[in-house]
Amino acid sequence: MLIKLIYKEILHRKLNFVLALLAVTIAVAFFVSFFTANDASKKETIRLTRDMGFNLRIIPGETDMNKFWTEGYSDLTMPEDYINRFWEFKDYSFAHLTATLHKKIIWNNKEVVLTGIAPEIEPSEKKKTAMIFSIEPGTVYVGYELAKDMQIRQEDSIKIFNRYFKVNKTLSETGSIDDIRIYGALSEFQDLIGFKGKINEIMALNCLCVSPDENDPLEILREQLDQVLPEAKVIMNTTIANARERQRHMIEEYFAVITIFVIIVIVIWIGVLTMINVRERQKEIGILRAIGHSGVRIFALFIWKALMIGLLGAIIGYATGTILALKFGTGIFKITADSLKPIYSLLIWSIIAAPVFSAFAAFLPTLSAIMKDPAITLRKE
Amino acid sequence: MIHLDKVSKIFGSPPKQVEALKNIDLHVNKSEFIIIRGPSGSGKTTLLLSIGGMLQPSSGVVNVENEDIYLLNEFERTKFRASNIGFVFQMFYLIPYLNVLENIMLAAGLGSNGARQRKATELAAQLGISDRILHKPSELSAGERQRVALARALIHQPKIILADEPTGNLDPDNSREVIRILKEYHQTGGTVIFVTHGKDADQFADRIFYLSKGEIVQ
């Protein structure tokens, strides 16, 4: 009888029902679309900030930093196999570890930087897309300024210290020292400049997710490096690292503010609608009391209705939110569009949370109606 | 059956308070047909709702079926009302979105749905509204609506019917029909307290009380 009463009342007061359903649907759709897109947004942010380049440089511990900054690299070297130490430690915050060897040389009467790069290693065994191009033996990548100045084109053959290399690619302009760099395979460049088995830098990306305002990530990274590689030290490009973290925090804080706003608006919305519904039904409540229905039963009538609205709103809201996220997300997150997929666990969460939320919003108006003396509405005097 | 001992009801607080009932003493025996008459604002509905356990008096005792009903908690009083009292109002107070059968069946405390439906159909036939059983209240005449309200009040065979101007909105024919139904109920042993302005039911009344400014004056 209770369900039938609710059902018939809904049909009788369709507008009230539709508006309440709309409120829950909007709230659920907002959260579902946000969380569905959030996954892609996180990946997109990671990709975009990652594309800003490595932000960690692990260099020999004895490096003179004055020379380092004036030269652009350490004049000291360390054994290449130092990088393998990271395999033995899993609990650290360095990712995309790449062994490199940099050396300034005069080439064709020009000062250039040779940079040998080894393939990235990922001891954490997490599947990650490579940060930097992988270089085939016998090939090189030539920086923008150098290529322009010396009219070097892709597929050209260039000679460095009596050895010929094929130009795999000429790079686009970066506005940094990279524009006068020649990248080659680490082992070949080690041979070329007589530093066999040596490197002078391990480039890496910080994957420590702490706010730059809360903790000093560099301190944590240095502690970790002391355990893995005490012979080396780490420096961090804080501009890139902070940009990464600030971007992440900004999105989280923005969402938190919007969430509070949406919740308050929706609770008021449902609460007002319930209040209107309760006022319209004062006489009905009075007569139900008069013919022997308890306050608890009448309370249940309103709360069950709110729960039904919540349940229906959860399902419609989930579908709407997912469709919106999939439709518009692909336009927003161009790089990681493929990772936009329906999150089915959100449906379960919506089904649990939306009815509770809806019942919560309806609770006070219903309680006030039940507490009100029904005789007052039935007295016509 | 029904004893009211110095029952008073005050609405509001000074200086705007209204004393709707003043020290009412009333005794109604089982199977009596009582009429309470009085002008508008005399406290008739307040008295009826107090007897029905719907409106707690400010002072005094309301004893129904040997039960001081305002000593019962809300749940017990609801249960008591469901099994002992039937209300009929001038404004019918039918649920607008339920049809006639569902409105009659709405009265609580009748056991299974099947039994409730059988009894509701039976009553609808007795009260001459069986052809309107699937109609909504808005599709009924005033007389038919009041018969539905009567059926709803009678379905659980209460010991007392409290009728608050049930003929107030009806034409003479329908008024007579409502009074006839209440009389029939009375003849089967039911107690009726009938609040009215008019004199249509006087011939059936065992006793008539006059209420003025919250007091029984004769």
Side-chain angles (χ1 to χ4, degrees):
Chain A
M1 194 65 186
L2 191 74
I3 299 295
K4 194 173 183 176
L5 261 179
I6 295 167
Y7 172 69
K8 294 228 166 186
E9 196 273 330
I10 286 170
L11 287 183
H12 185 68
R13 296 188 180 92
K14 292 184 196 76
L15 184 64
N16 183 285
F17 174 76
V18 168
L19 289 175
L21 184 62
L22 192 65
V24 181
T25 302
I26 288 172
V28 174
F30 170 79
F31 288 110
V32 168
S33 59
F34 181 86
F35 283 116
T36 305
N38 191 39
D39 207 33
S41 166
K42 271 185 186 166
K43 284 178 187 160
E44 190 94 356
T45 307
I46 289 167
R47 281 291 295 273
L48 289 173
T49 51
R50 199 204 69 181
D51 289 349
M52 291 164 83
F54 294 103
N55 59 18
L56 299 178
R57 303 176 76 177
I58 300 165
I59 54 177
E62 301 300 317
T63 299
D64 178 335
M65 293 312 288
N66 269 344
K67 279 189 185 170
F68 177 81
W69 290 120
T70 50
E71 289 296 307
Y73 58 88
S74 173
D75 59 342
L76 302 179
T77 58
M78 53 189 171
E80 183 186 346
D81 60 10
Y82 270 11
I83 198 167
N84 294 329
R85 299 248 197 109
F86 286 90
W87 291 100
E88 294 159 27
F89 295 85
K90 300 288 179 196
D91 189 23
Y92 57 82
S93 308
F94 301 89
H96 297 281
L97 291 153
T98 307
T100 59
L101 176 68
H102 308 276
K103 182 74 182 166
K104 237 176 227 174
I105 61 161
I106 302 295
W107 181 64
N108 293 340
N109 300 321
K110 281 197 171 295
E111 200 171 44
V112 301
V113 182
L114 291 185
T115 295
I117 298 175
E120 276 179 25
I121 67 157
E122 196 53 62
S124 68
E125 289 165 7
K126 284 179 190 158
K127 204 178 164 187
K128 287 190 160 76
T129 318
M131 284 272 293
I132 197 165
F133 37 78
S134 104
I135 302 176
E136 294 292 315
T139 66
V140 289
Y141 284 63
V142 181
Y144 171 80
E145 200 58 46
L146 209 52
K148 194 178 89 173
D149 226 28
M150 305 184 87
Q151 297 185 331
I152 298 167
R153 290 185 186 82
Q154 198 171 339
E155 303 293 324
D156 281 358
S157 184
I158 58 171
K159 188 180 174 191
I160 308 170
F161 296 147
N162 301 322
R163 192 160 168 186
Y164 286 93
F165 294 90
K166 192 178 96 180
V167 177
N168 196 317
K169 199 174 181 181
T170 57
L171 300 170
S172 46
E173 192 173 5
T174 63
S176 70
I177 195 169
D178 292 348
D179 288 346
I180 57 157
R181 213 183 278 275
I182 300 174
Y183 293 94
L186 177 67
S187 55
E188 287 181 336
F189 276 20
Q190 284 169 334
D191 287 345
L192 210 60
I193 55 178
F195 284 86
K196 199 166 172 59
K198 300 283 183 189
I199 55 173
N200 52 12
E201 185 170 333
I202 298 169
M203 296 192 295
L205 191 68
N206 160 28
C207 59
L208 193 64
C209 294
V210 293
S211 161
D213 304 326
E214 293 164 1
N215 292 298
D216 181 5
L218 192 54
E219 201 175 301
I220 299 168
L221 290 166
R222 280 179 176 152
E223 278 171 20
Q224 291 177 356
L225 190 70
D226 266 351
Q227 292 171 34
V228 183
L229 202 60
E231 300 87 342
K233 60 184 174 188
V234 60
I235 53 173
M236 181 164 76
N237 183 331
T238 49
T239 311
I240 294 175
N242 289 354
R244 260 171 79 100
E245 289 314 310
R246 291 222 164 88
Q247 165 82 355
R248 192 174 61 83
H249 279 269
M250 187 197 71
I251 288 177
E252 282 172 3
E253 281 166 18
Y254 177 70
F255 178 63
V257 170
I258 295 281
T259 299
I260 292 167
F261 178 74
V262 168
I263 286 178
I264 290 172
V265 168
I266 300 297
V267 164
I268 292 172
W269 185 346
I270 296 176
V272 167
L273 286 168
T274 309
M275 209 149 68
I276 292 168
N277 190 247
V278 160
R279 279 176 74 91
E280 277 178 3
R281 299 174 71 185
Q282 278 297 340
K283 287 213 158 37
E284 189 183 322
I285 292 170
I287 199 63
L288 286 171
R289 297 289 288 274
I291 62 176
H293 291 272
S294 66
V296 173
R297 190 178 159 84
I298 297 165
F299 187 80
L301 206 64
F302 285 90
I303 295 300
W304 268 107
K305 184 183 168 188
L307 289 171
M308 280 169 70
I309 288 169
L311 183 65
L312 204 56
I315 295 165
I316 300 172
Y318 172 80
T320 311
T322 302
I323 289 167
L324 286 176
L326 298 185
K327 189 169 171 59
F328 297 109
T330 48
I332 299 166
F333 309 112
K334 292 188 173 64
I335 305 169
T336 54
D338 289 348
S339 66
L340 273 166
K341 287 187 177 66
I343 304 173
Y344 296 108
S345 60
L346 283 180
L347 177 61
I348 296 164
W349 279 112
S350 303
I351 285 172
I352 294 168
V356 171
F357 168 76
S358 174
F360 171 74
F363 184 80
L364 283 181
T366 306
L367 195 66
S368 88
I370 302 305
M371 302 285 278
K372 200 167 177 180
D373 198 332
I376 291 167
T377 59
L378 297 177
R379 266 181 349 114
K380 63 186 182 306
E381 289 159 305
Chain B
M1 179 78 181
I2 300 170
H3 296 278
L4 271 71
D5 187 16
K6 302 213 178 321
V7 169
S8 294
K9 179 67 187 176
I10 298 166
F11 290 106
S13 49
K16 288 185 176 177
Q17 72 178 29
V18 176
E19 200 170 5
L21 297 177
K22 296 174 188 166
N23 287 320
I24 301 278
D25 288 317
L26 179 68
H27 176 83
V28 179
N29 294 314
K30 189 175 185 302
S31 303
E32 264 196 301
F33 195 119
I34 299 290
I35 288 180
I36 296 174
R37 186 176 296 139
S40 286
S42 59
K44 302 186 298 291
T45 303
T46 303
L47 178 63
L48 212 63
L49 292 171
S50 298
I51 294 170
M54 293 283 288
L55 189 63
Q56 180 148 22
S58 307
S59 62
V61 173
V62 179
N63 196 305
V64 181
E65 283 283 287
N66 300 318
E67 198 75 71
D68 184 344
I69 55 172
Y70 291 103
L71 284 184
L72 301 174
N73 63 32
E74 177 59 33
F75 181 75
E76 290 167 335
R77 199 157 57 241
T78 301
K79 209 173 157 192
F80 178 85
R81 203 161 43 232
S83 49
N84 291 291
I85 295 168
F87 273 103
V88 186
F89 298 94
Q90 181 183 1
M91 304 305 292
F92 325 126
Y93 295 142
L94 301 177
I95 308 293
Y97 49 85
L98 299 181
N99 65 30
V100 166
L101 189 67
E102 289 160 344
N103 261 292
I104 300 172
M105 286 167 63
L106 197 60
L110 264 180
S112 77
N113 204 40
R116 209 184 283 220
Q117 190 163 342
R118 265 196 307 280
K119 185 71 185 161
T121 313
E122 229 175 85
L123 262 171
Q126 277 174 30
L127 302 186
I129 45 173
S130 43
D131 57 332
R132 311 293 260 162
I133 214 149
L134 297 176
H135 288 246
K136 295 271 174 66
S138 59
E139 298 160 348
L140 305 176
S141 69
E144 286 169 329
R145 283 185 216 177
Q146 194 57 291
R147 275 182 276 168
V148 176
L150 273 163
R152 185 181 62 192
L154 292 168
I155 191 168
H156 57 89
Q157 294 165 309
K159 291 176 182 147
I160 305 159
I161 289 280
L162 302 174
D164 187 8
E165 300 198 41
T167 57
N169 275 340
L170 304 180
D171 59 42
D173 285 346
N174 277 307
S175 294
R176 273 194 293 279
E177 183 59 17
V178 166
I179 293 165
R180 183 191 66 77
I181 294 163
L182 287 173
K183 188 65 200 168
E184 270 181 24
Y185 163 75
H186 170 238
Q187 281 165 350
T188 59
T191 304
V192 178
I193 299 183
F194 191 108
V195 164
T196 183
H197 281 301
K199 295 185 174 181
D200 300 352
D202 285 8
Q203 55 181 312
F204 304 112
D206 296 313
R207 285 188 289 163
I208 299 173
F209 294 96
Y210 291 89
L211 204 62
S212 176
K213 294 178 182 171
E215 289 178 295
I216 292 176
V217 290
Q218 52 176 280

